[in-house]
């Protein structure tokens, strides 16, 4: 059970694991809040949200085995603008300029929504950015659609999304300086409700191991130490 934006690398890792072990992995996709709900309904073996916040909540509520928690990749927010950058965005402060049109993730939906809000609050421009926001989305994938179609001047998405075929030649990425950013990690953990703890732990270890690093990097993610 994991975030939708992890589909590409996870599909490859799942196929590799199934080939090596003969296991049959069933996947359920969703936003971080959505899959947290699935976890609480006792219907998953391995929990992979898009933000450690949800794993922390799961640990506090004893929904996962704490010793199984491992960090998979860094989660780096960036500014994305349409190709040729029509609004001349060069940094966070420009997102507060009058008449700039933004699409942002809903803070109650995708992890990028809550992270974006924290970034703007830290920069002291949240009210101006809120005034410029014409849509808040339930998924980060929708943000990509808004920016590549030119319906908005900018958004904040995850860095790895720039490597997607949907984004190729249709957007530009503007890095957010580390001191202004809120870099996260994507964690994994075994659910206490798993009916096959041995297999769940084997998969959990595999996707966080050295063998998986090449796959994460291939899809634009930066692996991190657990």
């Amino acid at each position: 059970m994991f975030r939708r934006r992890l589909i590409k690398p996870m599909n490859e890792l799942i196929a590799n694991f199934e080939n090596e072990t003969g296991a049959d992995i069933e996947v359920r996709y969703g936003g971080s809040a959505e899959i947290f709900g699935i976890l609480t309904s006792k219907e998953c073996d391995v929990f992979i949200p898009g933000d450690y916040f949800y794993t922390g909540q799961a640990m506090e509520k004893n929904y996962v085995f704490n010793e199984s928690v491992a960090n998979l990749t860094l989660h780096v927010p960036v500014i994305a603008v349409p190709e040729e950058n029509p609004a001349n965005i060069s940094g966070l402060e420009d997102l507060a300029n009058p008449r700039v049109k933004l699409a942002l993730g809903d803070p109650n939906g995708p992890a990028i929504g809550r992270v974006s809000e924290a970034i703007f609050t830290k920069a002291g421009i949240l009210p101006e950015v809120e005034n410029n926001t014409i849509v808040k989305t339930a998924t980060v994938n929708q943000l990509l659609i808004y920016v590549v179609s030119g319906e908005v001047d900018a958004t904040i998405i995850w860095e790895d999304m720039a490597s997607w075929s949907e984004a190729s030649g249709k957007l530009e990425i503007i890095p957010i300086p580390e001191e202004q950013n809120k870099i996260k990690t994507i964690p994994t953990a075994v659910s206490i409700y798993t009916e096959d703890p041995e297999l769940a732990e084997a998969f959990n270890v595999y996707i966080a191991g050295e063998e998986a690093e090449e796959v994460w990097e291939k899809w634009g993610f930066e692996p991190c130490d657990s």
Side-chain angles (χ1 to χ4, degrees):
M1 182 177 65
F2 53 84
R3 290 281 289 108
R4 292 188 185 96
R5 60 179 295 276
L6 303 181
I7 290 174
K8 299 173 191 291
M10 286 302 301
N11 279 350
E12 185 169 338
L13 290 170
I14 287 169
N16 293 345
F17 185 79
E18 289 178 331
N19 288 336
E20 291 180 13
T21 65
D24 184 16
I25 307 297
E26 179 182 347
V27 181
R28 297 184 68 173
Y29 307 96
S32 294
E34 180 183 353
I35 63 174
F36 185 80
I38 297 173
L39 172 67
T40 63
S41 66
K42 308 178 182 181
E43 297 180 2
C44 84
D45 299 291
V46 178
F47 176 57
I48 310 173
D51 188 344
Y52 198 92
F53 169 82
Y54 294 95
T55 300
Q57 292 293 304
M59 294 170 70
E60 288 180 12
K61 298 179 183 297
N62 296 316
Y63 293 147
V64 298
F65 292 107
N66 291 4
E67 65 274 13
S68 73
V69 176
N71 289 326
L72 299 177
T73 76
L74 293 181
H75 220 186
V76 184
V78 294
I79 299 169
V81 300
E83 186 182 16
E84 298 184 359
N85 192 4
N88 295 314
I89 304 296
S90 61
L92 279 178
E93 293 75 12
D94 293 332
L95 303 185
N97 291 341
R99 294 183 294 280
V100 170
K101 294 186 296 183
L102 305 176
L104 295 173
D106 188 327
N108 296 315
I112 194 67
R114 190 179 62 260
V115 171
S116 298
E117 186 174 72
I119 289 172
F120 295 132
T121 299
K122 182 179 180 182
I125 58 174
L126 182 60
E128 292 83 358
V129 166
E130 290 281 358
N131 287 337
N132 288 343
T133 302
I134 65 171
V135 62
K136 290 189 177 181
T137 69
T139 71
V140 69
N141 303 57
Q142 291 171 296
L143 296 175
L144 186 63
I145 294 171
Y146 275 103
V147 74
V148 300
S149 67
E151 293 183 60
V152 296
D153 298 313
T155 187
I156 289 187
I157 58 174
W158 303 112
E159 184 179 40
D160 65 279
M161 297 176 72
S163 69
W164 293 11
S165 59
E166 299 94 320
S168 180
K170 298 177 182 177
L171 59 74
E172 298 178 15
I173 292 298
I174 300 167
I176 301 172
E178 186 173 349
E179 64 272 15
Q180 291 183 303
N181 213 340
K182 293 283 186 180
I183 297 174
K184 300 291 185 177
T185 57
I186 298 175
T188 183
V190 176
S191 166
I192 65 167
Y193 305 116
T194 178
E195 295 182 358
D196 193 338
E198 185 174 344
L199 180 61
E201 177 61 18
F203 180 73
N204 197 62
V205 169
Y206 172 74
I207 61 176
E210 292 184 7
E211 187 177 343
E213 287 186 2
E214 184 176 342
V215 175
W216 289 114
E217 291 172 343
K218 171 184 174 181
W219 292 104
F221 291 87
E222 183 177 344
C224 59
D225 295 330
S226 298

